[in-house]
Amino acid sequence: MQALWFGNSRRLVHRVTLPLVLAAVSVVVFPLALDAQERSPEQIEFDQILPDTTGLIVSIPHPDQVLDHLLSHPIRDDLEKLDAYQSALNSPQALQGKLLLGLFESQVGMTWPEAIKSITRHGLYIAGDPDHEAFAVLMRADSETNLRKVAGTLLNWVAKQAEDEGREVPFEIRDYRDFKVADFGVFIMARWKSWLLISNRKLHAKQIADNLLDGAETDTNLASANWYQQARSLEKTGDVWVGVNLKSLRERNIAQELFRGTTDDAAAELILGGILDVLEDSDLAAGQLNIGDRIDLSISVPLAADKIRSVREYYFGPELTGRAPQPIQPDGWIASLTSYRDLAGWWLSKEELFEERVIAQLAQTDSQLSTIFGGLDFGEEVLGSVQPGVQILAVQQDFEATPEPDVKLPSFGLVARLYDPASVRSRFKIAFQSLIGFINIELGQQGQPQLELDSDRVGDAFITTARYLIDQPDDYRLMIANFSPTIAFQDDYLIISSTRQLADQILAEVRQREPATVEANTLALINGAALKHALKQNAEALIAQNMLEQGNDRKTAQQQIDIFLRLLDFAKSAAVELKVHPNRLNLSGSLEFNLDE
Amino acid sequence: MSSKRVTGTARIEMNRSNRWTRRSGPRKPAWQELSPEEAWQPFQPDGQNPWDERRAMHLMRRAAFGCSRHDLRPIVDQGLDATVDWLLDESSAVEFDRQMEQTARILATGNDGKGLAAWWLLKMVQTPAPAIEKLTLFWHGHFATSHAKVQRNKAMLDQYRLLHQHAAGNFADLVHGISRDIAMLVYLDSTDNRKTHPNENYARELLELFCLGIGNYTENDIKQLARCFTGWEVRRGRFRFNRFQHDGGTKTLFGQTGNFDGDQAIDIVLQQPAAARFIARKLIRFYVWDERELTDEWVEPIATTLRENQFEIRPALRQIFTSRIFHAADTRGAKIKSPVELGVGVLRQLRAAINMNELANRMQELGQLPFHPPSVKGWDGGRTWINAATILSRANLVEHIVRSGQTKFADGDLAAWYQESKYNDVADLASHWLAVELAPEIIRELTRTIPAGQTVTPNQVASAMTQLAVLPEFQLN
């Protein structure tokens, strides 16, 4: 009987007229199951029927609740009030879609959300099997009747569409044991009672189908897989739960970049180096996504301290204790990244972290920077004078003091702390002056406005600022008006910023606080309102980009940018943090919405 | 390539039912039948040679970038004179130009030359004054300057503004302006011109390429002219006259002697009889014929108009666009579409929009990226636009426009555009799109793409357009 499953197919709907096709589909696919089965669909767990070769599993135990969350989300009302939403809803394409949806709803006797909720009521599961290059989608409906109705309607549509276009109906109908199967060639769709199975590999589908009907041997199903059990303990079940067998991916050379343990980009190493180190030896990863008034994502991998390369101590700190500084958030902050990084350790370990080409580039940079720093060794003496823990931030800039430039960039700043400020402060200041001197020579050769240096002391702070010497009012329109590069020192703080304005703001903040750290190794934050303000300031640049990329006229481009900015109204904040626990590494992210506006 | 089809013995005329018919029998081409004086006389439409869609589309293709059939109807209704008035009037684009200028200011802050080209292409596609934009493109080819060397968007945009402002204005103003233009001076290595070592680059190009042409000046004229320009410098991105470096001595230029400065020297150059002929010849080549031998007697009527109007461009163009020779049947299809005419023309005629950066890439592939002429001589044009590689790329461009899912059509889709254009059939479509008549067997072949009596689908129209685009006739203007 199993041999019949995919071998002796009967092409029932080949070259027949539409009425016959529809009749065949209705009669053959959707009769009630003939016999009462020994196994009840309600008794079966998805992880008991998936094979233990499964390497990726996405589990949504209650899709109806997720859909309800999405459809009743407060943002939805706001979105629907947008003019753009309303006009899109009345576009010919949308009206045609609505018509089809109405037809579908009348045929199944349910609204489309009800139909989706009904056929996935008891879970939606997506599984990937790298061994067999197969995927499977499993769902369990609230009733066999509803599943039959929805699936039947969809198949009828596909058949009718093909008939209308003069094509062959793209699937064949057949039985496999108690399953009713629609075989599309590149994938199959099979139904048994309230279970629906879709897969791209017939043998894979057969194994799952047999497990559903007969029950899998307990030592060959996913539930018994060691990696899966560990993954389950790493992250609790959320609205969506994901487990990945990294070992199996690694063994099959899938996503090799993830498991190399290194990157050839020095900046990427600073951000991702530690994560790559852990992934290199991790056998599994687990994640959960929760959708409510806010969206939260959490991904964890097991962490074995003894397997982390010593060279990555710059990243995690001694015995994984490195923690990021408490972020400074001056008025108008747009984005902030704080992290524990021992920059000297990173720089001095370059031979172990990078390949020859990158090492050669860094060695050249080392030599140039050592020159700028008056012969000090850049890694040992310059970066070595900076404490681990840095913050990079972007902050809104106002242009009240000067005519506005055409492109309005935010200010960017870097904040760090020095071990012994008194001994190195002057070195940093001289290096800054030298750098400005080099830039001035280059600007002079190009006939561009040059930078004038000015040092002053405000309270306990030492500040050196370079400002463009602009003698043509027209030059203010250029991007140079965005810059007044500054280096400042307050206590043990070192501040480097693209504008004097930001340096003053940071100085005001550090004066009022004691240095502190957060729980995370790395923390990235985005302020939705400030981001929108910055983009709004540059609406003209966004419009220009839209016109050129879309070929739109100005009015259309303006409308599209307005919609984009309106949508940003809904984003309140976003955060990503990397936390190091004794036995796991956790990356989490959250997105908060403005629910009151 | 298809010149036989265009200038051969068969001639094509419109019958009373507004359809094109081919009349056999030998007949001389119009440029042989008419004397130069007669050729540039105003065209008078009559029963046999009416002002109709065919002639209106010819004018729109040559003076601008063509137009959709939807936009053609009012042009036919208003007549030739009113259409030429409208084409040469930039006032309809004042608000549009202001809006595009806002976008240009953003581009001026960077140095992305291809982005700049995309911006100009967008302007050509959308402007309500397409003839002015095309005229600006003509001057860009005449006073050729490339971003590849200048490397500054702001300077290139300033030059564009100068060319655009004076496009249909006064040629003398253009020459005076371009002589101080930063992009031009940088491009010709003329940012320094000291009295001890006069830089002859700009002087040479001014005489050879901009005002007179080879054979109408001597080496001594170049040397004397270079002395007049001494002290004209670029400093910190701006033009400056350095009186300490100006040669204040006496110069003798084209028989006139005096202590001339650069501006006075330009006026002397423009007084030469060859100057008006040189510009007239270039205008005729750009708007009327690519390759026909243009003797002085053929050029002189337009040159005279230029002289009589102190080098105002508009009257000369009016004379060209309303002339008997311009509207003669065998003038149609006597030019090869440049890549910009092709790309911008297809978009305007289809009322379509695509990614302009992508269009700029295609223009580069086809050999005409705006702001990037190949040399100070500009683009050679004519037959050089076509070779084995570009003919394929041209067809691919049209196919990309009609088949890409990213293309947006003002009428919704290609089928709606076809219906809005009120094309009766594929022959009607070809008649609107092509400058020359197609052979009946080709029409029959094309008709298969849109069978009569069926509801037209976007795919059918796309097929018709791609088949049209591979025809040699499609490349003619």
Side-chain angles (χ1 to χ4, degrees):
Chain A
M1 184 154 187
Q2 289 182 3
L4 285 176
W5 218 67
F6 302 110
N8 302 331
S9 65
R10 291 172 289 131
R11 188 172 280 272
L12 296 179
V13 290
H14 183 51
R15 294 194 192 98
V16 291
T17 56
L18 177 61
L20 281 178
V21 172
L22 298 181
V25 168
S26 307
V27 170
V28 178
V29 183
F30 312 113
L32 289 166
L34 296 175
D35 307 309
Q37 300 296 313
E38 286 180 11
R39 278 165 65 80
S40 155
E42 290 77 26
Q43 294 169 337
I44 305 166
E45 289 296 331
F46 76 96
D47 52 8
Q48 293 169 346
I49 53 175
L50 288 169
D52 60 356
T53 50
T54 300
L56 165 75
I57 178 74
V58 179
S59 148
I60 310 172
H62 303 291
D64 52 341
Q65 291 175 11
V66 176
L67 193 61
D68 278 339
H69 268 314
L70 291 173
L71 294 178
S72 62
H73 200 283
I75 294 289
R76 189 182 172 209
D77 289 339
D78 293 325
L79 283 174
E80 286 181 354
K81 284 179 200 155
L82 288 179
D83 291 343
Y85 182 91
Q86 290 301 327
S87 60
L89 217 56
N90 292 318
S91 68
Q93 293 88 342
L95 289 174
Q96 195 180 2
K98 266 163 76 176
L99 193 69
L100 287 173
L101 215 51
L103 197 63
F104 170 79
E105 289 176 342
S106 71
Q107 285 182 6
V108 298
M110 289 181 274
T111 64
W112 67 267
E114 282 169 353
I116 292 175
K117 284 194 280 185
S118 171
I119 63 170
T120 60
R121 180 83 65 200
H122 297 298
L124 170 66
Y125 310 98
I126 301 163
D129 186 335
D131 278 2
H132 304 105
E133 295 179 357
F135 77 82
V137 180
L138 275 167
M139 62 190 81
R140 186 154 77 82
D142 54 1
S143 78
E144 182 178 358
T145 313
N146 281 348
L147 180 59
R148 192 173 66 240
K149 208 186 296 179
V150 171
T153 303
L154 290 174
L155 287 176
N156 275 341
W157 274 22
V158 173
K160 185 174 183 307
Q161 182 75 21
E163 188 73 14
D164 287 350
E165 291 174 6
R167 292 185 286 113
E168 281 183 12
V169 174
F171 58 86
E172 297 171 0
I173 302 299
R174 62 176 71 140
D175 290 344
Y176 173 70
R177 299 181 63 184
D178 293 330
F179 271 88
K180 306 299 173 192
V181 181
D183 184 352
F184 284 79
V186 289
F187 71 94
I188 62 110
M189 191 166 93
R191 184 181 60 77
W192 172 67
K193 294 197 170 178
S194 56
W195 281 93
L196 185 73
L197 163 65
I198 299 168
S199 177
N200 65 329
R201 292 269 186 259
K202 292 170 184 174
L203 285 174
H204 188 63
K206 175 179 167 299
Q207 186 181 359
I208 296 170
D210 288 341
N211 288 349
L212 250 177
L213 296 176
D214 307 331
E217 289 177 28
T218 52
D219 59 346
T220 61
N221 64 16
L222 177 63
S224 65
N226 191 32
W227 78 265
Y228 176 72
Q229 290 170 356
Q230 283 187 56
R232 277 287 176 194
S233 66
L234 264 184
E235 288 282 356
K236 62 181 183 182
T237 303
D239 289 334
V240 179
W241 184 89
V242 180
V244 188
N245 183 347
L246 297 178
K247 189 179 176 190
S248 134
L249 298 185
R250 196 160 45 231
E251 284 171 356
R252 278 152 197 84
N253 294 327
I254 298 170
Q256 292 178 60
E257 287 293 309
L258 274 182
F259 306 117
R260 277 178 53 203
T262 59
T263 167
D264 294 334
D265 186 312
E269 164 63 35
L270 267 177
I271 298 167
L272 299 170
I275 298 174
L276 293 175
D277 204 311
V278 175
L279 283 176
E280 189 180 8
D281 295 311
S282 291
D283 289 347
L284 59 115
Q288 59 165 312
L289 176 70
N290 289 293
I291 301 165
D293 287 350
R294 48 183 274 167
I295 293 174
D296 291 289
L297 171 73
S298 172
I299 301 168
S300 293
V301 288
L303 178 65
D306 56 338
K307 285 191 175 175
I308 293 176
R309 293 161 65 191
S310 58
V311 74
R312 288 297 180 5
E313 187 176 305
Y314 89 86
Y315 193 99
F316 291 113
E319 298 178 353
L320 310 181
T321 56
R323 298 291 178 265
Q326 181 84 35
I328 292 166
Q329 296 174 326
D331 285 348
W333 72 276
I334 297 167
S336 156
L337 173 71
T338 62
S339 64
Y340 175 93
R341 297 292 183 272
D342 179 354
L343 297 177
W346 162 69
W347 192 261
L348 295 172
S349 307
K350 53 184 178 289
E351 280 78 9
E352 293 164 78
L353 289 170
F354 305 112
E355 62 172 39
E356 281 302 320
R357 179 182 53 84
V358 182
I359 294 168
Q361 289 169 351
L362 291 178
Q364 194 179 0
T365 309
D366 188 301
S367 160
Q368 289 165 345
L369 289 170
S370 293
T371 306
I372 289 175
F373 278 91
L376 292 183
D377 182 277
F378 182 69
E380 189 82 43
E381 295 174 283
V382 178
L383 294 181
S385 68
V386 181
Q387 296 182 33
V390 291
Q391 179 181 8
I392 298 168
L393 69 168
V395 180
Q396 284 173 33
Q397 182 174 180
D398 71 58
F399 297 93
E400 285 173 8
T402 59
E404 290 194 359
D406 283 329
V407 175
K408 301 169 194 70
L409 298 177
S411 303
F412 296 93
L414 180 145
V415 184
R417 292 171 63 207
L418 301 170
Y419 283 116
D420 183 5
S423 69
V424 292
R425 191 187 295 138
S426 298
R427 294 289 201 160
F428 272 96
K429 182 181 165 186
I430 291 167
F432 181 75
Q433 289 171 337
S434 302
L435 194 63
I436 297 298
F438 285 130
I439 293 171
N440 272 338
I441 291 170
E442 181 68 21
L443 291 171
Q445 286 174 339
Q446 294 173 5
Q448 303 289 320
Q450 290 180 299
L451 289 155
E452 183 184 27
L453 274 169
D454 189 19
S455 291
D456 57 339
R457 188 165 176 172
V458 179
D460 293 337
F462 298 88
I463 310 172
T464 301
T465 299
R467 292 186 176 85
Y468 276 97
L469 198 59
I470 298 177
D471 50 15
Q472 295 288 339
D474 203 32
D475 286 341
Y476 280 111
R477 284 173 41 185
L478 304 178
M479 281 212 281
I480 55 174
N482 286 285
F483 300 111
S484 49
T486 298
I487 188 166
F489 304 90
Q490 166 81 44
D491 303 327
D492 60 356
Y493 277 98
L494 162 68
I495 298 156
I496 300 171
S497 66
S498 67
T499 65
R500 173 60 183 263
Q501 186 187 2
L502 177 57
D504 288 339
Q505 281 181 284
I506 295 172
L507 284 168
E509 289 282 324
V510 299
R511 281 188 198 112
Q512 295 170 10
R513 55 192 281 162
E514 289 297 318
T517 57
V518 294
E519 276 304 299
N521 169 282
T522 303
L523 173 64
L525 300 167
I526 292 174
N527 177 349
L531 176 64
K532 186 195 166 181
H533 183 267
L535 290 171
K536 201 172 173 183
Q537 272 193 323
N538 287 290
E540 196 54 53
L542 296 174
I543 289 167
Q545 190 183 359
N546 180 290
M547 288 170 74
L548 297 185
E549 286 182 358
Q550 307 287 322
N552 283 330
D553 59 32
R554 189 178 172 83
K555 189 180 166 194
T556 309
Q558 218 156 6
Q559 283 170 344
Q560 290 184 359
I561 297 305
D562 281 350
I563 292 167
F564 169 64
L565 293 174
R566 286 291 310 279
L567 288 175
L568 274 182
D569 277 339
F570 302 126
K572 184 177 183 182
S573 64
V576 176
E577 57 182 345
L578 180 70
K579 282 185 177 168
V580 184
H581 298 284
N583 56 2
R584 72 186 175 112
L585 186 67
N586 175 255
L587 183 71
S588 62
S590 65
L591 180 60
E592 276 195 80
F593 301 102
N594 277 319
L595 300 180
D596 302 330
E597 292 176 22
Chain B
M1 70 193 193
S2 292
S3 56
K4 192 180 284 182
R5 196 189 297 277
V6 180
T7 60
T9 55
R11 66 198 164 89
I12 307 154
E13 289 180 2
M14 191 172 266
N15 63 20
R16 286 185 182 177
S17 58
N18 216 28
R19 302 295 295 223
W20 291 95
T21 57
R22 182 183 285 254
R23 290 188 182 176
S24 358
R27 177 168 174 174
K28 282 183 181 175
W31 65 275
Q32 284 183 11
E33 281 188 336
L34 301 173
S35 71
E37 289 73 24
E38 289 170 332
W40 297 114
Q41 291 295 312
F43 165 69
Q44 302 291 347
D46 56 28
Q48 271 204 321
N49 297 296
W51 170 248
D52 52 17
E53 273 198 16
R54 189 91 182 173
R55 285 198 165 80
M57 193 61 188
H58 168 63
L59 175 62
M60 290 305 293
R61 264 196 294 266
R62 290 291 182 85
F65 301 100
C67 64
S68 70
R69 203 176 210 188
H70 176 274
D71 294 335
L72 192 62
R73 285 179 206 120
I75 290 169
V76 176
D77 291 345
Q78 72 184 357
L80 172 60
D81 286 337
T83 299
V84 173
D85 283 344
W86 165 71
L87 283 170
L88 296 177
D89 178 12
E90 58 268 80
S91 64
S92 61
V94 169
E95 176 56 21
F96 172 80
D97 287 344
R98 190 193 62 76
Q99 290 179 355
M100 289 302 289
E101 183 59 26
Q102 284 178 268
T103 313
R105 283 175 55 171
I106 297 297
L107 292 170
T109 60
N111 279 324
D112 169 22
K114 204 175 272 184
L116 209 57
W119 170 83
W120 192 3
L121 288 166
L122 180 71
K123 215 176 164 204
M124 292 183 215
V125 171
Q126 295 184 348
T127 178
I132 299 299
E133 220 55 61
K134 187 159 182 182
L135 196 47
T136 309
L137 181 66
F138 165 77
W139 290 122
H140 175 46
H142 183 79
F143 295 112
T145 308
S146 175
H147 185 282
K149 179 166 181 181
V150 177
Q151 294 282 314
R152 294 179 210 168
N153 278 12
K154 184 178 179 301
M156 294 303 293
L157 271 167
D158 283 344
Q159 187 185 83
Y160 165 84
R161 291 173 184 125
L162 174 77
L163 300 179
H164 188 261
Q165 182 191 350
H166 298 289
N170 190 285
F171 176 68
D173 289 343
L174 259 181
V175 180
H176 282 283
I178 209 77
S179 302
R180 290 175 164 80
D181 180 70
I182 304 306
M184 175 61 78
L185 296 177
V186 170
Y187 187 59
L188 294 181
D189 299 315
S190 299
T191 53
D192 267 320
N193 198 359
R194 297 170 178 274
K195 60 184 172 186
T196 49
H197 295 96
N199 185 337
E200 294 178 8
N201 278 4
Y202 185 71
R204 183 180 301 279
E205 306 306 359
L206 184 77
L207 296 180
E208 180 185 332
L209 298 174
F210 301 160
C211 293
L212 299 180
I214 290 177
N216 295 303
Y217 57 91
T218 64
E219 278 299 306
N220 188 51
D221 291 326
I222 293 173
K223 290 183 193 307
Q224 296 297 306
L225 184 59
R227 289 179 62 208
C228 301
F229 284 122
T230 48
W232 289 37
E233 298 176 345
V234 176
R235 283 292 173 272
R236 295 187 61 189
R238 291 178 181 80
F239 175 80
R240 181 178 76 168
F241 175 66
N242 181 348
R243 62 191 169 92
F244 300 107
Q245 287 302 330
H246 180 64
D247 180 346
T250 301
K251 300 109 184 170
T252 299
L253 189 61
F254 293 105
Q256 297 187 44
T257 301
N259 175 16
F260 305 127
D261 62 16
D263 284 323
Q264 290 167 320
I266 289 169
D267 290 339
I268 292 170
V269 169
L270 292 178
Q271 286 163 16
Q272 304 312 302
R277 280 201 299 273
F278 182 72
I279 297 307
R281 183 174 274 109
K282 282 200 88 165
L283 286 171
I284 295 168
R285 284 225 179 284
F286 189 76
Y287 284 110
V288 189
W289 294 306
D290 270 336
E291 299 185 348
R292 188 150 296 143
E293 180 67 25
L294 286 174
T295 58
D296 282 354
E297 62 170 350
W298 267 94
V299 171
E300 195 53 39
I302 304 297
T304 303
T305 303
L306 279 169
R307 280 188 215 103
E308 286 174 351
N309 291 279
Q310 291 75 48
F311 281 98
E312 285 294 326
I313 302 298
R314 201 172 268 109
L317 287 176
R318 162 173 289 286
Q319 188 176 8
I320 291 172
F321 294 152
T322 58
S323 67
R324 292 175 68 182
I325 194 70
F326 184 85
H327 291 281
D330 51 5
T331 301
R332 289 196 288 274
K335 279 182 61 68
I336 293 173
K337 282 178 196 160
S338 73
V340 169
E341 285 174 323
L342 177 85
V344 173
V346 169
L347 290 171
R348 286 191 76 105
Q349 286 179 239
L350 289 174
R351 292 152 60 87
I354 62 168
N355 181 332
M356 285 295 133
N357 296 316
E358 167 68 19
L359 185 64
N361 285 334
R362 302 256 177 180
M363 289 299 111
Q364 187 172 35
E365 195 182 325
L366 292 171
Q368 196 184 23
L369 181 65
F371 291 115
H372 295 77
S375 72
V376 68
K377 290 194 288 182
W379 290 281
D380 290 335
R383 286 171 189 261
T384 62
W385 292 129
I386 304 289
N387 60 43
T390 59
I391 194 78
L392 194 63
S393 299
R394 283 171 160 245
N396 286 343
L397 169 62
V398 178
E399 181 163 26
H400 172 77
I401 291 171
V402 297
R403 298 261 190 220
S404 164
Q406 306 297 316
T407 305
K408 286 174 284 187
F409 297 94
D411 296 305
D413 60 28
L414 273 174
W417 165 81
Y418 185 89
Q419 277 157 5
E420 175 63 29
S421 302
K422 295 190 168 53
Y423 291 126
N424 300 320
D425 48 32
V426 181
D428 197 18
L429 172 84
S431 155
H432 174 232
W433 275 77
L434 302 185
V436 295
E437 188 190 26
L438 284 178
E441 59 272 21
I442 299 177
I443 293 282
R444 272 198 300 279
E445 190 64 30
L446 281 172
T447 304
R448 292 183 191 173
T449 57
I450 307 181
Q454 280 189 11
T455 306
V456 178
T457 66
N459 193 39
Q460 287 174 333
V461 181
S463 296
M465 288 306 304
T466 45
Q467 290 208 20
L468 268 185
V470 298
L471 296 174
E473 288 85 346
F474 192 82
Q475 316 307 331
L476 301 179
N477 206 8

